[in-house]
Structures are given as C-alpha cells and as structure tokens.
Amino acid sequence: MAEVSLHKLNKKFDTTHVVKDVDLQIRDKEFMVFVGPSGCGKTTTLRMIAGLEAVTAGEIRIDDRVVNEVPPMDRDIAMVFQNYALYPHMSVASNLAFGLKMRKFEKAEIEKRINNAASILGIESLLQRKPRQLSGGQRQRVALGRAIVRDPKVFLFDEPLSNLDAQLRVQMRVELKKLHERLAVTSVYVTHDQVEAMTLGDRVVVMKDGLVQQVGEPLELYNTPANRFVAGFIGSPAMNFADVTLIENDGKPVAEAPELRIGIPGELAARARAKIGSKATLGIRPEDIHIATAADAPEYCFEASVEVVEQLGSEILLDMRVGPALMVASVEPTLRVRSHDKLKLALKPERLHLFDAETEAAI
Ligand code: ATP
C-alpha cells in the first residue's frame, strides 16, 4: 500500500516561487498525472516527491511517514526519466541489475526480478545488448524495467515518452496503461501533453504558475472545468471562447456579443442571473457545435462565416468568424462546405460554459 500526500507544498528557487501551496492526496494504486504548460512547476513537484529537490515549506508523506528529510534512496520510489538515464557501457541486463546490486540484493533474486521485468516488457531478447544498440522505444522499455525490478511503493515518471516519435508515443502510452493495470503501483506522472494526461490518468492535476488549478478525473476536467485555463487546456481542438455581456431578455439570462446572442439554459441560467450586467466569457467546444437544423431552438443558433476548411477525414474542422470572435467547429466529414460560406450553426445548450471575466472561474 502507498498513499502519497502533499500538504501545503512550496518551492522557491532564490526568490522565484515555483510551487505554491500544493495540497494533494494521491491514493493507493492511483495513476495521478500532473499536466500544465512549460514552467508551471510540475517537474519540480515530482522532484520534491522523489527527494531530488529540497522542500522550501510544507510536507510530503508516503503513507504515514513524513519524507521531507529522507534521502531519495530510502523513499522506496523508482523514477523513470525522459532521457532514460541508462548507463551506455553496460548491457541491458546490467542496467536492470544496477540498482538492485547497489542495494545488496542476492544474485538469484536479482536474476529473478530481471527475468520477470524483461518478460513483462517483452525485452528478453535484448538483455545482452548495449543501450546504443536499441531503438528509442526499446530504451524506454529498459528504463521502465529498471523501475519495475525495484518493486517500489511508488513510480514517478518525468515526461517518459517525450523523446519518442508520435506513433511510438501512442503505442507506449497504451503499454504504460496496461503495465499500470498489471502492477497496480501508485504512480505519479508528469507531462505537458493533455492527451497523455487524459488517457493515462485515473485523476489529473492541472497546474499553472505553480498553482493547482483543478484536480479531477479526466472527464470531470473535460465536462466541468473549474476555470477558463483548464477549459482551454484540456480538450483538442481547444474550447472556443467569446467575450460576452450577460443581459436579461424576456426575463431570461442571455450571453450577448456582436453578432452573437445565446440563451443560457437550466442551472447555468440560475447562476448567470446573479451576474446580469457583467462581462463574462462564453465557452463552447468545437465538438459541441453543429450545422443548425429545424430541431434547434433559435436561442442556441448563430451565424458564422467560414474562413478555413480543414478536412481531417474523420471530421471537418471549420475555422469561422462569429462577429469579432474566431471559433472552430468540428462537423460531419460528409458536409460540403467552402471558405467564405455563411453558415447557420447551433450549439448544444447543455454543453455551454460561462466564466467570470475577472476571476476566470466557472460561473
Ligand atoms: P517543463 O515541462 O518545461 O519541464 P515544468 O512545469 O516541469 O516545465 P519546472 O521544471 O518545475 O516546470 O520549473 C518551474 C519553474 O522553476 C521554471 O520557471 C524553471 O525555470 C524554474 N526552475 C526549475 N529548476 C530550477 C533551478 N534549479 N533553479 C532555478 N529555477 C529553476
């Protein structure tokens, strides 16, 4: 069993405050992903958990033990790095054995663990090779193997797939997911790639400027982002935003912008009502916009002028102008549409988001 908890965790490099009051409970066997733009503090947080970076303030616990002052070697964690960090002069088998030898494991036990890890990762035939004789994907498997043989309480991953080409990344992503199901070890994974975060994480922590923006299951982040930043960061293509004013029309709240007037449905209307007269940001995902039909209520329809048509095969992305706002819609691949066409579109009312213009928090 291994739970990792961060309590008011802070890191300063001289005067630069890069991790700010991070509170987080990582559950036993959970795969927790930290995601955020470059420089947001995710790697520094991971390195503090690993013991590679001193904690400025706050507490890190692994189970009930505070590990702030415990050296990395004694934390019972194994870390997988982006650059693999393999010893070039050693064979794969020796690379796998190294950490265990340092810890004075018996030879027979080392052999057993190497064979087990090699079989899990399908690298049995590579054990006598040197790292330079391996492909990028194989090297990454060896790096994973080195963590697996340790049989640690916690795995820490620092962007382990970012040196691989796009196709291999997808393949290794699936392998990592299977590996986690099989080993069921608490894992903390850092990436700047939101697709990786969404597909791998049981839960995802979104960070920006050293602050946790939201923690949740992938679909929770996608469906109910806590603020505009999370809304724009999670999901591809990104959510569309338009600056609007919340007004009242026939007793109902409406989001209004030049050439855009959208009704606000259900519970969102109740919350928007308290903010009539103020500025807000309307958010709608490209996949929640479609070509309007007679079935669409007029208050959820708007007109757009198509600027660019992106044919992706499985869908068409329309880059459109709606008044001063630019929006993207993902529509059926069979649609015949050309740039400069004027279209009537509709959005799914239940998928509409509003954010406070000042705080950027979800309304
Ligand atoms: P990336 O994906 O680019 O690695 P990140 O979110 O992992 O980004 P960190 O590596 O945690 O970000 O860095 C957070 C901030 O701390 C950055 O502004 C970085 O420049 C700064 N930083 C990191 N390490 C040090 C250091 N040793 N000394 C000074 N500043 C540092």
Side-chain angles (χ1 to χ4, degrees):
M1 197 195 93
E3 287 172 3
V4 179
S5 47
L6 312 180
H7 181 63
K8 294 261 173 288
L9 192 64
N10 281 272
K11 178 69 186 179
K12 284 185 187 168
F13 290 109
D14 298 323
T15 51
T16 325
H17 201 171
V18 301
V19 174
K20 301 169 187 164
D21 281 339
V22 171
D23 274 314
L24 190 66
Q25 300 288 331
I26 302 169
R27 300 168 192 146
D28 184 36
K29 301 188 178 60
E30 185 167 41
F31 201 114
M32 182 68 94
V33 180
F34 279 76
V35 70
S38 186
C40 70
K42 51 195 188 297
T43 300
T44 304
T45 306
L46 190 80
R47 289 173 58 83
M48 283 194 280
I49 300 173
L52 301 173
E53 209 68 77
V55 170
T56 307
E59 203 173 75
I60 302 174
R61 283 173 184 264
I62 299 180
D63 291 333
D64 291 332
R65 178 180 178 217
V66 177
V67 296
N68 287 36
E69 305 300 330
V70 177
M73 181 102 171
D74 300 328
R75 291 194 185 192
D76 205 359
I77 50 164
M79 188 146 168
V80 181
F81 297 92
Q82 173 178 352
N83 60 8
Y84 319 134
L86 301 177
Y87 298 107
H89 58 286
M90 288 185 194
S91 67
V92 167
S94 304
N95 265 287
L96 294 178
F98 187 78
L100 301 178
K101 278 191 184 152
M102 295 278 289
R103 286 171 177 79
K104 311 257 183 288
F105 276 69
E106 303 253 329
K107 202 163 168 241
E109 178 64 18
I110 294 179
E111 235 166 66
K112 192 173 116 199
R113 289 192 183 202
I114 290 179
N115 290 336
N116 178 42
S119 125
I120 289 174
L121 296 164
I123 54 170
E124 296 102 319
S125 61
L126 308 176
L127 287 174
Q128 297 320 315
R129 290 205 199 162
K130 298 272 169 57
R132 67 169 184 280
Q133 297 166 311
L134 303 174
S135 70
Q138 290 168 336
R139 276 180 217 168
Q140 189 49 269
R141 277 191 200 102
V142 178
L144 283 172
R146 214 172 34 180
I148 293 172
V149 293
R150 294 267 318 281
D151 191 18
K153 273 188 164 179
V154 183
F155 282 127
L156 303 179
F157 298 96
D158 187 8
E159 303 245 10
L161 307 185
S162 53
N163 282 349
L164 305 176
D165 66 44
Q167 203 180 350
L168 200 53
R169 274 180 91 128
V170 175
Q171 190 186 329
M172 286 300 291
R173 203 168 75 201
V174 174
E175 284 188 28
L176 270 179
K177 194 149 178 129
K178 285 190 194 157
L179 192 67
H180 179 68
E181 273 169 25
R182 177 162 179 180
L183 301 177
V185 173
T186 311
S187 300
V188 189
Y189 187 105
V190 162
T191 179
H192 61 269
D193 179 343
Q194 60 93 19
V195 177
E196 226 167 85
M198 295 287 280
T199 50
L200 280 172
D202 292 321
R203 284 192 300 157
V204 177
V205 184
V206 182
M207 282 185 84
K208 182 188 164 219
D209 300 335
L211 288 166
V212 171
Q213 303 290 307
Q214 189 171 3
V215 184
E217 291 177 12
L219 281 184
E220 205 177 326
L221 301 184
Y222 176 85
N223 289 325
T224 49
N227 59 34
R228 180 180 166 152
F229 176 78
V230 176
F233 195 79
I234 299 290
S236 175
M239 185 184 282
N240 296 296
F241 296 113
D243 296 331
V244 296
T245 306
L246 299 177
I247 59 161
E248 198 167 68
N249 189 27
D250 279 347
K252 290 184 191 159
V254 169
E256 192 180 58
E259 296 178 47
L260 191 71
R261 189 175 248 244
I262 298 288
I264 302 172
E267 285 175 20
L268 190 54
R271 296 195 294 272
R273 206 174 282 283
K275 296 190 178 265
I276 296 294
S278 54
K279 303 240 176 270
T281 305
L282 176 148
I284 186 78
R285 295 194 184 277
E287 53 274 36
D288 297 326
I289 302 177
H290 56 269
I291 303 291
T293 68
D296 290 300
E299 66 256 45
Y300 303 120
C301 293
F302 58 96
E303 295 201 344
S305 158
V306 178
E307 296 201 330
V308 178
V309 179
E310 297 180 75
Q311 264 290 3
L312 300 184
S314 59
E315 61 180 333
I316 298 174
L317 296 182
L318 301 177
D319 292 77
M320 316 171 303
R321 184 164 284 284
V322 183
L326 293 173
M327 289 204 184
V328 176
S330 160
V331 295
E332 289 292 306
T334 49
L335 187 77
R336 292 282 156 259
V337 58
R338 285 187 297 199
S339 49
H340 308 303
D341 282 357
K342 298 254 186 294
L343 296 178
K344 188 169 175 197
L345 295 145
L347 50 79
K348 287 188 197 154
E350 71 281 7
R351 308 291 304 165
L352 186 69
H353 301 265
L354 286 176
F355 304 96
D356 188 292
E358 264 174 42
T359 66
E360 301 198 345
I363 290 176

